[in-house]
């Protein structure tokens, strides 16, 4: 078994701002002897060294958790890879969805009749650095004997499909890549695992849309309550996520009234229903439960943990009936660059013991109104401005993930 992945511990190395002022002498007649000056100077240097050492030790994890991860530049400023812009690049797309058996038919927009291909040729360019272009052969070798696990909703499954196809494009014998149970890609299946037998690693997906346990109606509940989310109890399949090498979470798309209250699903803590609890409040409670589980069950020396933030949709109306897919990325985020779910993820992650890399894809994805499934799914009569075409935006998310996982040295601009 290979050693676990190296982690990129780069952070903002700007100097500490601040001054230390000298106290006034209580006595004017006090004599400042040379030996006293030497001792005082040494004490100050020792104190500043201790403060600086603590800064270096503590801040990488806090920065990593709150700002996502960074790639250092030659100027010693930190490069936040999520601050940037979309640029055209003819090296994309990185695979053909029609040649990858793990792409859900509904996400293969070209295969479903989309005529334009401009949306395929964009990559994300951070303002102060470069995300390394994916070397698939190198990635396959570095993933040997590893286990990559995605946990979340259909957006997580899309990213799982993307990574599987990205990696499969570099495998010569395609038959050596297969789903471990022979399952087909479906929307409701709880587990999918693709094994790359030539390199002895798996890329797995676990469907857990809320991350916490969805249970039956508690006793003596009002008639409108048909089920409950147990906010203080993680999903019953969570034990399957342990002992992975890369662990990528997401949640948010199902935390809406239409998926909860309108279906009779409410919140529960312990044995008590919380009928008055808001969705944002429940989401925070659920994430606190998730964070506690990660801190207690994940070995940070082995597992690199990510949490991807909320994925913006581009519906034209609030009823999810009209979808307006553009030909090119839009120049403004139209207010979709912020989300209360994203803010909550950042707040929870920064206080965790186990370092969590926050994939802040909300803002960067908000520009990609051109990249949604739209009317090019396997059900063209039902528009989709939430999910993404493959190849497409999730490929870039995965390039960012892999660049972080594989980084042992900093990348220069």
């Amino acid at each position: 078994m290979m050693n676990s992945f190296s982690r990129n511990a780069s952070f903002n190395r700007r100097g500490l701002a601040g001054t230390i002022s000298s106290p006034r002498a209580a006595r004017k007649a006090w004599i400042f002897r040379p030996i006293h000056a030497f001792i005082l100077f040494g004490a100050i240097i020792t104190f500043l060294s201790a403060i600086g050492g603590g800064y270096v030790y503590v801040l990488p994890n806090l920065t990593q958790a709150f700002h996502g991860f960074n790639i250092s530049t030659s100027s010693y400023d930190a490069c936040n890879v999520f601050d940037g812009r979309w640029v055209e690049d003819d090296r994309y797309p990185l695979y053909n969805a029609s040649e990858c058996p793990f792409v859900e038919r509904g996400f293969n927009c070209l295969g479903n009749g989309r005529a334009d291909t401009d949306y395929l040729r964009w990559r994300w360019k951070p303002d102060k650095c470069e995300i390394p272009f994916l070397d698939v052969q190198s990635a396959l070798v570095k993933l040997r004997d590893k286990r990559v696990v995605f946990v979340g909703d259909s957006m997580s499954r899309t990213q799982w499909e993307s990574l599987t196809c990205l990696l499969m494009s570099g495998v010569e014998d395609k038959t050596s890549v297969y789903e471990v149970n022979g399952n087909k890609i479906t929307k409701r299946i709880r587990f999918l695992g693709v094994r790359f037998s030539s390199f002895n690693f798996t890329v797995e997906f676990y469907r857990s849309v809320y991350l916490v346990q969805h249970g039956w109606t508690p006793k003596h509940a009002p008639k409108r309550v048909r089920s409950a989310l147990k906010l203080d109890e993680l999903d019953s399949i969570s034990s399957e996520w342990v002992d992975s090498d890369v662990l990528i979470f997401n949640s948010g798309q199902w935390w809406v009234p239409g998926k909860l209250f309108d279906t009779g699903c409410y919140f529960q803590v312990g044995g008590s229903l919380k009928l008055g609890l808001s969705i944002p409040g429940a989401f925070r409670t659920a994430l606190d439960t998730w964070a506690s589980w990660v801190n207690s069950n994940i070995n940070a020396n082995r597992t690199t943990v990510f949490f991807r933030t909320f994925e913006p949709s581009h519906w034209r109306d609030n009823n999810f009936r009209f979808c307006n897919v553009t030909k090119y990325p839009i120049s403004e985020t139209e207010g979709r660059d912020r989300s209360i779910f994203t803010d909550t993820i950042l707040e929870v992650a920064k206080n965790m013991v186990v370092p969590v890399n926050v994939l802040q894809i909300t803002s960067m994805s908000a520009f990609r109104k051109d990249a949604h499934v739209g009317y090019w799914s396997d059900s063209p009569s039902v528009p989709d401005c939430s999910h993404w075409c493959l190849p497409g935006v999730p490929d870039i998310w995965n390039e960012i993930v892999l660049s972080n996982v594989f980084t042992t040295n900093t990348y220069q601009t």
Side-chain angles (χ1 to χ4, degrees):
M1 180 69 70
M2 293 176 61
N3 294 328
S4 61
F5 294 119
S6 299
R7 286 159 180 75
N8 181 8
S10 61
F11 61 103
N12 192 330
R13 291 179 171 83
R14 290 187 180 128
L16 291 171
T19 59
I20 300 177
S21 57
S22 301
R24 290 183 179 179
R27 293 176 169 178
K28 295 182 180 179
W30 184 71
I31 300 174
F32 196 90
R33 297 177 180 176
I35 186 63
H36 294 155
F38 180 78
I39 294 173
L40 180 61
F41 178 76
I44 291 174
I45 293 299
T46 301
F47 174 76
L48 290 177
S49 298
I51 293 295
Y55 174 82
V56 170
Y57 178 78
V58 174
L59 203 51
N61 283 351
L62 294 182
T63 305
Q64 188 178 47
F66 189 71
H67 293 295
F69 50 83
N70 300 312
I71 296 176
S72 289
T73 63
S74 56
S75 65
Y76 291 98
D77 286 336
C79 171
N80 186 337
V81 297
F82 305 105
D83 288 338
R85 64 193 186 279
W86 292 96
V87 297
E88 290 186 86
D89 191 327
D90 289 337
R91 293 176 295 179
Y92 291 81
L94 301 180
Y95 59 89
N96 185 335
S98 297
E99 296 176 356
C100 181
F102 305 109
V103 168
E104 202 171 321
R105 182 186 170 191
F107 301 152
N108 182 4
C109 297
L110 282 182
N112 292 326
R114 183 165 182 173
D116 68 293
T117 59
D118 298 282
Y119 72 96
L120 295 169
R121 297 189 174 91
W122 296 89
R123 68 175 174 89
W124 182 251
K125 170 66 176 73
D127 288 336
K128 294 184 179 180
C129 57
E130 291 283 350
I131 299 169
F133 187 74
L134 179 62
D135 182 339
V136 178
Q137 296 299 328
S138 175
L140 289 167
V141 171
K142 290 177 179 179
L143 286 172
R144 187 183 296 276
D145 299 326
K146 301 298 182 182
R147 183 172 174 240
V148 181
V149 172
F150 290 87
V151 179
D153 53 30
S154 58
M155 298 294 181
S156 182
R157 190 179 68 252
T158 306
Q159 189 177 1
W160 170 83
E161 294 175 24
S162 161
L163 181 61
T164 303
C165 293
L166 283 170
L167 296 173
M168 189 176 182
S169 68
V171 177
E172 184 174 351
D173 180 9
K174 306 299 184 186
T175 63
S176 68
V177 183
Y178 54 88
E179 206 286 322
V180 293
N181 294 316
N183 290 323
K184 294 183 178 180
I185 314 302
T186 64
K187 296 179 179 180
R188 295 291 178 180
I189 195 167
R190 291 218 73 185
F191 169 75
L192 290 163
V194 169
R195 177 174 174 77
F196 288 73
S197 59
S198 298
F199 298 89
N200 193 35
F201 72 84
T202 58
V203 183
E204 304 169 26
F205 165 71
Y206 291 86
R207 185 176 185 269
S208 180
V209 298
Y210 298 111
L211 301 182
V212 292
Q213 185 64 33
H214 188 196
W216 298 108
T217 308
K219 292 182 178 180
H220 311 300
K223 289 184 178 181
R224 72 176 186 271
V225 179
R226 299 179 181 177
S227 64
L229 282 184
K230 298 180 179 180
L231 301 178
D232 57 346
E233 182 180 332
L234 213 63
D235 197 317
S236 60
I237 61 173
S238 59
S239 61
E240 302 293 333
W241 314 337
V242 180
D243 294 331
S244 53
D245 296 283
V246 182
L247 183 54
I248 306 166
F249 292 95
N250 95 296
S251 188
Q253 293 290 337
W254 282 62
W255 292 85
V256 292
K259 300 286 189 181
L260 291 167
F261 305 146
D262 294 352
T263 67
C265 182
Y266 289 83
F267 307 123
Q268 179 180 347
V269 177
S272 302
L273 279 174
K274 303 295 181 181
L275 298 178
L277 185 59
S278 67
I279 289 177
F283 184 75
R284 173 58 191 256
T285 303
L287 275 198
D288 285 338
T289 299
W290 165 82
S292 178
W293 179 88
V294 169
N295 286 335
S296 300
N297 292 277
I298 296 303
N299 178 3
N301 292 321
R302 171 176 178 173
T303 306
T304 305
V305 183
F306 295 86
F307 202 115
R308 196 179 72 253
T309 60
F310 190 74
E311 309 87 353
S313 59
H314 290 86
W315 294 95
R316 202 191 318 170
D317 65 326
N318 294 327
N319 296 318
F320 307 105
R321 293 180 300 177
F322 301 103
C323 190
N324 184 19
V325 179
T326 57
K327 187 175 182 180
Y328 302 107
I330 55 179
S331 59
E332 301 292 338
T333 60
E334 300 176 342
R336 293 180 170 87
D337 57 331
R338 296 295 302 273
S339 164
I340 191 170
F341 299 118
T342 293
D343 295 341
T344 301
I345 292 164
L346 291 166
E347 183 65 27
V348 170
K350 73 177 182 179
N351 294 312
M352 292 178 63
V353 175
V354 173
V356 173
N357 298 283
V358 179
L359 292 169
Q360 293 193 57
I361 58 84
T362 307
S363 180
M364 64 182 286
S365 304
F367 294 100
R368 297 306 307 274
K369 194 174 183 178
D370 60 315
H372 286 292
V373 170
Y375 296 94
W376 299 284
S377 70
D378 51 348
S379 301
S381 61
V382 181
D384 185 351
C385 258
S386 294
H387 293 95
W388 307 93
C389 295
L390 291 179
V393 172
D395 303 332
I396 306 301
W397 302 344
N398 282 321
E399 282 196 290
I400 295 173
V401 167
L402 293 178
S403 71
N404 174 259
V405 170
F406 296 153
T407 295
T408 55
N409 299 304
T410 57
Y411 294 101
Q412 306 297 326
T413 53

Short mmCIF file of all heavy atoms in Angstrom, two decimals, residues 265-310:
data_model
loop_
_atom_site.label_atom_id
_atom_site.label_comp_id
_atom_site.label_asym_id
_atom_site.label_seq_id
_atom_site.Cartn_x
_atom_site.Cartn_y
_atom_site.Cartn_z
N CYS A 265 -41.83 15.99 5.07
CA CYS A 265 -40.59 15.70 5.78
C CYS A 265 -40.21 16.89 6.66
O CYS A 265 -40.04 18.01 6.16
CB CYS A 265 -39.47 15.38 4.80
SG CYS A 265 -37.91 14.96 5.60
N TYR A 266 -40.04 16.61 7.96
CA TYR A 266 -39.67 17.67 8.91
C TYR A 266 -38.41 17.23 9.66
O TYR A 266 -37.79 16.22 9.31
CB TYR A 266 -40.83 17.95 9.87
CG TYR A 266 -41.98 18.67 9.20
CD1 TYR A 266 -42.93 17.95 8.47
CD2 TYR A 266 -42.10 20.04 9.26
CE1 TYR A 266 -43.98 18.60 7.83
CE2 TYR A 266 -43.15 20.72 8.63
CZ TYR A 266 -44.09 19.98 7.92
OH TYR A 266 -45.12 20.63 7.28
N PHE A 267 -38.03 18.00 10.66
CA PHE A 267 -36.76 17.78 11.33
C PHE A 267 -36.94 17.21 12.73
O PHE A 267 -37.91 17.51 13.42
CB PHE A 267 -35.98 19.10 11.40
CG PHE A 267 -35.83 19.78 10.07
CD1 PHE A 267 -36.28 21.08 9.89
CD2 PHE A 267 -35.27 19.12 9.00
CE1 PHE A 267 -36.16 21.71 8.67
CE2 PHE A 267 -35.13 19.73 7.77
CZ PHE A 267 -35.59 21.04 7.59
N GLN A 268 -35.97 16.39 13.11
CA GLN A 268 -36.01 15.74 14.41
C GLN A 268 -34.63 15.78 15.05
O GLN A 268 -33.62 15.57 14.38
CB GLN A 268 -36.47 14.28 14.25
CG GLN A 268 -36.53 13.48 15.53
CD GLN A 268 -36.98 12.04 15.28
OE1 GLN A 268 -37.48 11.70 14.20
NE2 GLN A 268 -36.82 11.19 16.28
N VAL A 269 -34.59 16.07 16.34
CA VAL A 269 -33.36 16.01 17.13
C VAL A 269 -33.65 15.17 18.36
O VAL A 269 -34.56 15.49 19.13
CB VAL A 269 -32.87 17.41 17.54
CG1 VAL A 269 -31.63 17.28 18.43
CG2 VAL A 269 -32.56 18.26 16.32
N GLY A 270 -32.90 14.08 18.53
CA GLY A 270 -33.23 13.15 19.59
C GLY A 270 -34.59 12.53 19.31
O GLY A 270 -34.88 12.09 18.19
N GLY A 271 -35.47 12.54 20.29
CA GLY A 271 -36.81 12.02 20.07
C GLY A 271 -37.84 13.10 19.81
O GLY A 271 -39.04 12.80 19.77
N SER A 272 -37.38 14.33 19.60
CA SER A 272 -38.31 15.46 19.49
C SER A 272 -38.36 16.01 18.07
O SER A 272 -37.31 16.24 17.44
CB SER A 272 -37.90 16.58 20.44
OG SER A 272 -37.85 16.13 21.77
N LEU A 273 -39.55 16.23 17.57
CA LEU A 273 -39.73 16.93 16.30
C LEU A 273 -39.47 18.42 16.50
O LEU A 273 -39.83 18.99 17.53
CB LEU A 273 -41.15 16.73 15.78
CG LEU A 273 -41.45 15.43 15.05
CD1 LEU A 273 -42.94 15.33 14.74
CD2 LEU A 273 -40.63 15.31 13.77
N LYS A 274 -38.85 19.04 15.51
CA LYS A 274 -38.58 20.47 15.54
C LYS A 274 -39.36 21.13 14.40
O LYS A 274 -38.80 21.52 13.37
CB LYS A 274 -37.08 20.72 15.39
CG LYS A 274 -36.23 20.03 16.44
CD LYS A 274 -36.50 20.57 17.84
CE LYS A 274 -35.65 19.89 18.90
NZ LYS A 274 -35.93 20.40 20.26
N LEU A 275 -40.67 21.24 14.59
CA LEU A 275 -41.54 21.71 13.51
C LEU A 275 -41.29 23.16 13.16
O LEU A 275 -41.56 23.59 12.04
CB LEU A 275 -43.01 21.50 13.90
CG LEU A 275 -43.44 20.05 14.14
CD1 LEU A 275 -44.90 19.99 14.56
CD2 LEU A 275 -43.22 19.21 12.89
N GLY A 276 -40.78 23.94 14.08
CA GLY A 276 -40.55 25.35 13.80
C GLY A 276 -39.16 25.68 13.31
O GLY A 276 -38.84 26.84 13.06
N LEU A 277 -38.33 24.66 13.16
CA LEU A 277 -36.95 24.89 12.74
C LEU A 277 -36.88 25.21 11.25
O LEU A 277 -37.46 24.51 10.43
CB LEU A 277 -36.10 23.65 13.05
CG LEU A 277 -34.60 23.74 12.79
CD1 LEU A 277 -33.97 24.86 13.60
CD2 LEU A 277 -33.93 22.40 13.12
N SER A 278 -36.16 26.27 10.91
CA SER A 278 -36.03 26.68 9.51
C SER A 278 -35.07 25.75 8.78
O SER A 278 -34.26 25.04 9.40
CB SER A 278 -35.50 28.11 9.42
OG SER A 278 -34.15 28.18 9.89
N ILE A 279 -35.14 25.76 7.46
CA ILE A 279 -34.23 24.93 6.66
C ILE A 279 -32.77 25.34 6.87
O ILE A 279 -31.92 24.47 7.09
CB ILE A 279 -34.63 24.97 5.18
CG1 ILE A 279 -35.95 24.20 4.97
CG2 ILE A 279 -33.53 24.38 4.30
CD1 ILE A 279 -36.48 24.22 3.56
N PRO A 280 -32.42 26.64 6.83
CA PRO A 280 -31.02 27.01 7.10
C PRO A 280 -30.56 26.56 8.48
O PRO A 280 -29.42 26.11 8.65
CB PRO A 280 -31.01 28.53 6.96
CG PRO A 280 -32.15 28.83 6.04
CD PRO A 280 -33.20 27.82 6.39
N GLY A 281 -31.43 26.68 9.49
CA GLY A 281 -31.07 26.24 10.84
C GLY A 281 -30.86 24.74 10.91
O GLY A 281 -29.94 24.25 11.57
N ALA A 282 -31.72 23.99 10.21
CA ALA A 282 -31.58 22.54 10.18
C ALA A 282 -30.31 22.13 9.44
O ALA A 282 -29.62 21.18 9.85
CB ALA A 282 -32.81 21.92 9.52
N PHE A 283 -30.00 22.82 8.37
CA PHE A 283 -28.79 22.52 7.60
C PHE A 283 -27.56 22.72 8.48
O PHE A 283 -26.63 21.91 8.47
CB PHE A 283 -28.72 23.41 6.36
CG PHE A 283 -27.55 23.13 5.45
CD1 PHE A 283 -27.54 22.02 4.63
CD2 PHE A 283 -26.46 23.99 5.43
CE1 PHE A 283 -26.46 21.76 3.80
CE2 PHE A 283 -25.37 23.74 4.60
CZ PHE A 283 -25.38 22.63 3.78
N ARG A 284 -27.55 23.79 9.26
CA ARG A 284 -26.42 24.04 10.16
C ARG A 284 -26.29 22.92 11.20
O ARG A 284 -25.18 22.43 11.48
CB ARG A 284 -26.59 25.39 10.86
CG ARG A 284 -25.54 25.68 11.95
CD ARG A 284 -24.13 25.63 11.37
NE ARG A 284 -23.12 25.65 12.42
CZ ARG A 284 -22.39 26.72 12.72
NH1 ARG A 284 -22.59 27.86 12.06
NH2 ARG A 284 -21.48 26.67 13.66
N THR A 285 -27.41 22.49 11.77
CA THR A 285 -27.38 21.41 12.75
C THR A 285 -26.85 20.12 12.12
O THR A 285 -26.05 19.40 12.72
CB THR A 285 -28.77 21.17 13.35
OG1 THR A 285 -29.25 22.39 13.94
CG2 THR A 285 -28.74 20.08 14.40
N ALA A 286 -27.31 19.83 10.90
CA ALA A 286 -26.86 18.63 10.20
C ALA A 286 -25.36 18.70 9.92
O ALA A 286 -24.64 17.69 10.07
CB ALA A 286 -27.64 18.46 8.90
N LEU A 287 -24.86 19.88 9.52
CA LEU A 287 -23.43 20.01 9.24
C LEU A 287 -22.60 19.90 10.51
O LEU A 287 -21.48 19.38 10.48
CB LEU A 287 -23.14 21.34 8.54
CG LEU A 287 -23.30 21.38 7.03
CD1 LEU A 287 -22.58 22.59 6.45
CD2 LEU A 287 -22.78 20.12 6.35
N ASP A 288 -23.13 20.38 11.62
CA ASP A 288 -22.43 20.20 12.89
C ASP A 288 -22.31 18.71 13.22
O ASP A 288 -21.27 18.26 13.72
CB ASP A 288 -23.16 20.93 14.01
CG ASP A 288 -22.97 22.44 13.96
OD1 ASP A 288 -21.99 22.90 13.34
OD2 ASP A 288 -23.82 23.17 14.52
N THR A 289 -23.36 17.96 12.94
CA THR A 289 -23.32 16.50 13.14
C THR A 289 -22.28 15.87 12.22
O THR A 289 -21.51 15.00 12.64
CB THR A 289 -24.71 15.89 12.87
OG1 THR A 289 -25.65 16.44 13.79
CG2 THR A 289 -24.68 14.37 13.01
N TRP A 290 -22.28 16.30 10.97
CA TRP A 290 -21.28 15.79 10.01
C TRP A 290 -19.86 16.12 10.48
O TRP A 290 -18.98 15.25 10.45
CB TRP A 290 -21.54 16.42 8.63
CG TRP A 290 -20.40 16.27 7.68
CD1 TRP A 290 -20.10 15.20 6.91
CD2 TRP A 290 -19.37 17.24 7.42
NE1 TRP A 290 -18.96 15.43 6.18
CE2 TRP A 290 -18.49 16.67 6.47
CE3 TRP A 290 -19.11 18.54 7.89
CZ2 TRP A 290 -17.38 17.34 6.00
CZ3 TRP A 290 -18.00 19.21 7.41
CH2 TRP A 290 -17.14 18.62 6.48
N ALA A 291 -19.65 17.35 10.93
CA ALA A 291 -18.31 17.77 11.37
C ALA A 291 -17.85 16.94 12.56
O ALA A 291 -16.68 16.52 12.63
CB ALA A 291 -18.32 19.25 11.73
N SER A 292 -18.75 16.68 13.50
CA SER A 292 -18.40 15.86 14.66
C SER A 292 -18.03 14.44 14.22
O SER A 292 -17.07 13.85 14.75
CB SER A 292 -19.59 15.83 15.63
OG SER A 292 -19.33 15.00 16.73
N TRP A 293 -18.76 13.92 13.25
CA TRP A 293 -18.45 12.57 12.74
C TRP A 293 -17.07 12.55 12.08
O TRP A 293 -16.28 11.63 12.31
CB TRP A 293 -19.52 12.14 11.75
CG TRP A 293 -19.29 10.78 11.17
CD1 TRP A 293 -19.69 9.58 11.66
CD2 TRP A 293 -18.55 10.49 9.96
NE1 TRP A 293 -19.28 8.56 10.84
CE2 TRP A 293 -18.57 9.09 9.80
CE3 TRP A 293 -17.90 11.27 9.01
CZ2 TRP A 293 -17.96 8.46 8.72
CZ3 TRP A 293 -17.28 10.64 7.95
CH2 TRP A 293 -17.31 9.25 7.80
N VAL A 294 -16.78 13.54 11.26
CA VAL A 294 -15.48 13.61 10.59
C VAL A 294 -14.37 13.69 11.63
O VAL A 294 -13.36 12.97 11.55
CB VAL A 294 -15.42 14.80 9.63
CG1 VAL A 294 -13.99 15.03 9.13
CG2 VAL A 294 -16.34 14.58 8.44
N ASN A 295 -14.53 14.57 12.60
CA ASN A 295 -13.50 14.73 13.63
C ASN A 295 -13.25 13.44 14.40
O ASN A 295 -12.12 13.16 14.83
CB ASN A 295 -13.90 15.84 14.60
CG ASN A 295 -13.76 17.23 14.00
OD1 ASN A 295 -12.97 17.44 13.08
ND2 ASN A 295 -14.52 18.17 14.52
N SER A 296 -14.28 12.62 14.57
CA SER A 296 -14.18 11.41 15.37
C SER A 296 -13.77 10.18 14.57
O SER A 296 -13.21 9.23 15.13
CB SER A 296 -15.52 11.12 16.08
OG SER A 296 -15.89 12.17 16.93
N ASN A 297 -14.05 10.17 13.27
CA ASN A 297 -13.90 8.94 12.49
C ASN A 297 -12.86 8.98 11.38
O ASN A 297 -12.50 7.92 10.86
CB ASN A 297 -15.25 8.55 11.88
CG ASN A 297 -16.27 8.13 12.91
OD1 ASN A 297 -16.30 6.98 13.34
ND2 ASN A 297 -17.11 9.07 13.32
N ILE A 298 -12.43 10.17 11.00
CA ILE A 298 -11.52 10.28 9.86
C ILE A 298 -10.08 10.48 10.34
O ILE A 298 -9.80 11.37 11.17
CB ILE A 298 -11.94 11.45 8.95
CG1 ILE A 298 -13.31 11.16 8.34
CG2 ILE A 298 -10.91 11.67 7.85
CD1 ILE A 298 -13.41 9.87 7.54
N ASN A 299 -9.19 9.68 9.81
CA ASN A 299 -7.76 9.79 10.10
C ASN A 299 -7.15 10.79 9.14
O ASN A 299 -6.96 10.50 7.95
CB ASN A 299 -7.10 8.42 9.95
CG ASN A 299 -5.60 8.46 10.20
OD1 ASN A 299 -5.04 9.50 10.55
ND2 ASN A 299 -4.94 7.32 10.03
N ALA A 300 -6.84 11.97 9.66
CA ALA A 300 -6.32 13.04 8.80
C ALA A 300 -4.96 12.71 8.20
O ALA A 300 -4.56 13.33 7.21
CB ALA A 300 -6.23 14.35 9.60
N ASN A 301 -4.25 11.74 8.77
CA ASN A 301 -2.95 11.34 8.21
C ASN A 301 -3.12 10.50 6.95
O ASN A 301 -2.17 10.36 6.18
CB ASN A 301 -2.15 10.56 9.24
CG ASN A 301 -1.73 11.41 10.41
OD1 ASN A 301 -1.36 12.57 10.24
ND2 ASN A 301 -1.79 10.86 11.62
N ARG A 302 -4.32 9.96 6.77
CA ARG A 302 -4.58 9.16 5.57
C ARG A 302 -5.50 9.87 4.59
O ARG A 302 -5.24 9.89 3.39
CB ARG A 302 -5.20 7.81 5.93
CG ARG A 302 -5.66 7.05 4.70
CD ARG A 302 -6.21 5.68 4.98
NE ARG A 302 -6.67 5.07 3.74
CZ ARG A 302 -7.08 3.82 3.63
NH1 ARG A 302 -7.08 3.03 4.69
NH2 ARG A 302 -7.49 3.34 2.47
N THR A 303 -6.59 10.42 5.11
CA THR A 303 -7.68 10.88 4.25
C THR A 303 -7.64 12.40 4.04
O THR A 303 -7.59 13.16 5.00
CB THR A 303 -9.04 10.51 4.87
OG1 THR A 303 -9.07 9.10 5.12
CG2 THR A 303 -10.18 10.88 3.95
N THR A 304 -7.69 12.80 2.77
CA THR A 304 -7.85 14.21 2.42
C THR A 304 -9.34 14.46 2.23
O THR A 304 -9.98 13.85 1.38
CB THR A 304 -7.11 14.55 1.12
OG1 THR A 304 -5.74 14.17 1.24
CG2 THR A 304 -7.21 16.03 0.80
N VAL A 305 -9.90 15.37 3.03
CA VAL A 305 -11.33 15.63 3.03
C VAL A 305 -11.64 16.93 2.29
O VAL A 305 -10.97 17.96 2.50
CB VAL A 305 -11.88 15.72 4.47
CG1 VAL A 305 -13.39 15.92 4.46
CG2 VAL A 305 -11.52 14.47 5.26
N PHE A 306 -12.65 16.87 1.44
CA PHE A 306 -13.16 18.04 0.73
C PHE A 306 -14.64 18.20 1.01
O PHE A 306 -15.35 17.22 1.24
CB PHE A 306 -12.98 17.89 -0.79
CG PHE A 306 -11.56 17.83 -1.27
CD1 PHE A 306 -10.88 16.62 -1.31
CD2 PHE A 306 -10.90 18.97 -1.70
CE1 PHE A 306 -9.57 16.54 -1.76
CE2 PHE A 306 -9.59 18.91 -2.16
CZ PHE A 306 -8.93 17.69 -2.18
N PHE A 307 -15.11 19.43 0.98
CA PHE A 307 -16.55 19.69 0.96
C PHE A 307 -16.79 20.72 -0.14
O PHE A 307 -16.27 21.82 -0.11
CB PHE A 307 -17.07 20.23 2.30
CG PHE A 307 -18.55 20.00 2.50
CD1 PHE A 307 -19.01 19.18 3.50
CD2 PHE A 307 -19.48 20.61 1.67
CE1 PHE A 307 -20.37 18.94 3.68
CE2 PHE A 307 -20.84 20.39 1.83
CZ PHE A 307 -21.29 19.56 2.85
N ARG A 308 -17.58 20.30 -1.14
CA ARG A 308 -17.87 21.21 -2.25
C ARG A 308 -19.07 22.08 -1.88
O ARG A 308 -20.09 21.60 -1.38
CB ARG A 308 -18.17 20.42 -3.52
CG ARG A 308 -18.11 21.28 -4.78
CD ARG A 308 -18.38 20.49 -6.03
NE ARG A 308 -19.78 20.11 -6.15
CZ ARG A 308 -20.24 18.88 -5.98
NH1 ARG A 308 -19.41 17.91 -5.65
NH2 ARG A 308 -21.51 18.61 -6.10
N THR A 309 -18.97 23.36 -2.15
CA THR A 309 -20.04 24.28 -1.80
C THR A 309 -21.22 24.17 -2.77
O THR A 309 -21.18 23.40 -3.73
CB THR A 309 -19.53 25.73 -1.77
OG1 THR A 309 -19.03 26.08 -3.07
CG2 THR A 309 -18.43 25.89 -0.73
N PHE A 310 -22.23 24.96 -2.52
CA PHE A 310 -23.50 24.87 -3.25
C PHE A 310 -23.31 25.19 -4.73
O PHE A 310 -22.62 26.14 -5.11
CB PHE A 310 -24.49 25.86 -2.64
CG PHE A 310 -25.89 25.71 -3.16
CD1 PHE A 310 -26.68 24.64 -2.76
CD2 PHE A 310 -26.43 26.64 -4.03
CE1 PHE A 310 -27.99 24.51 -3.23
CE2 PHE A 310 -27.72 26.52 -4.50
CZ PHE A 310 -28.50 25.45 -4.10
#
